[in-house]
Amino acid sequence: MALVAGELASVERRLEEVLRSREPRISEIANHLIAAGGKRVRPTVTLLAFRACGGETIADAVDVAVALELIHSASLLHDDIIDGNDMRRGRASARRKYGIPHTLVTGDFVFSRAFQICGRFDAKQINWAAEACIALTEGEVMQSRYRNNPEVTLDDYMEIIYRKTASLFEQGARIAASLARPNPPELVDALASCARHVGLTFQIVDDVLDITAEQAELGKPIGLDVREGNPSLPIVLAAAQDPEVARLFAKEDLTEGEVSAVLGRIRRSNVVDEGRRIAIEHSRLAHEALAPLPESEYCDSLHALIEELINRVC
Ligand code: FPP
Ligand code: MG
């Protein structure tokens, strides 16, 4: 992170600039979410991908990183409405604080700002950004299709998280790497592949932490996926091997006792270990994708970022 600290500071300044609106309420709502922090993993991966490909005109990479964070933030504003979430990043969600109508429109504003920034890229790069946004919407709807549905398979799960999380990492890195015009040009695909596996690892780790973490660490209540009937990795794996988890997963509006029962059964089973194993496998693929890159401190930093992700659950 320290290697791109200057660029990340530029991302924060740019975010603040583009969140200004003629309607102060819009800026307030957008800042409520975006200034509350977040790990900025997407901008960091984007900036490192650009640098690892030898990119020098840093304003380009900062723009991609900002656009990505805006798209991600817009999707969270909408997601909190869809899921009815009360908390996000350790504070009241925008939905709870400002209500649905203004939160919805602020999501649209933030999303529009992202494409205002993407507008200066080539048609091919704008198309990659649009593909990620399309995948996000399809991931959200696919996930809801499998909500409270014990028929969900591991393949379904992997497709959901590719769409809802990894696609944005992948396309962000692809755009940033292509802006760097690396030689050979195939390095663009290498970075996209690395970022896709980073995104998959990131989501799997997030799902495991929903079962194993403490609330303070997550900034939101633990067991939320169980409560919401989300097809998260531990739930998908546990439902396939434990009929009682499958029965409770199929049931909406679980009581507190039922939530605890599901969490207990999952924690006592082997699925948390299995989840860690799958996360480690994707982190290995992320490392491996970087093999064609020339050695650099930026490439080292990408390797370190992948290790940090995995260390959260291992
Ligand atoms: C959070 O996941 C949600 C997403 C990663 C994607 C949400 C996508 C949409 C609402 C479609 C709208 C798309 C655009 C482009 C504006 P989660 O619910 O698993 O995580 P959480 O526990 O943090 O809520
Ligand atoms: Mg959600």
Side-chain angles (χ1 to χ4, degrees), residues 71 74-76 78-79 82-83 85 88 111 133 136-137 140 143 164-165 203 220:
I71 292 167
S75 79
L76 290 185
H78 287 183
D79 186 64
I82 297 166
D83 289 350
N85 287 334
R88 172 72 68 189
F111 186 61
C133 297
L136 280 182
T137 62
E140 179 77 19
Q143 174 169 284
K164 78 168 187 175
T165 308
Q203 188 60 54
K220 59 185 178 186

Side-chain angles (χ1 to χ4, degrees), residues 59-111:
D60 289 347
V62 167
D63 274 356
V64 187
V66 170
L68 224 64
E69 194 62 18
L70 291 173
I71 292 167
H72 170 58
S73 305
S75 79
L76 290 185
L77 289 168
H78 287 183
D79 186 64
D80 284 343
I81 294 172
I82 297 166
D83 289 350
N85 287 334
D86 280 338
M87 272 178 86
R88 172 72 68 189
R89 295 179 175 164
R91 45 157 65 174
S93 67
R95 181 203 69 88
R96 176 158 139 222
K97 185 154 186 213
Y98 301 100
I100 291 174
H102 281 173
T103 300
L104 178 67
V105 176
T106 301
D108 295 336
F109 172 90
V110 172
F111 186 61

Side-chain angles (χ1 to χ4, degrees), residues 122-185:
D122 289 347
K124 192 176 65 176
Q125 292 157 337
I126 297 173
N127 185 51
W128 289 334
E131 286 297 340
C133 297
I134 290 166
L136 280 182
T137 62
E138 292 171 341
E140 179 77 19
V141 172
M142 185 176 179
Q143 174 169 284
S144 71
R145 188 151 55 81
Y146 285 107
R147 184 159 289 151
N148 298 112
N149 183 350
E151 300 293 304
V152 61
T153 65
L154 183 56
D155 283 350
D156 298 325
Y157 168 78
M158 291 309 298
E159 179 64 23
I160 291 170
I161 69 164
Y162 168 69
R163 294 180 185 178
K164 78 168 187 175
T165 308
S167 61
L168 195 53
F169 279 85
E170 177 183 15
Q171 303 298 13
R174 194 187 295 285
I175 298 168
S178 79
L179 283 168
R181 297 183 189 284
N183 187 15

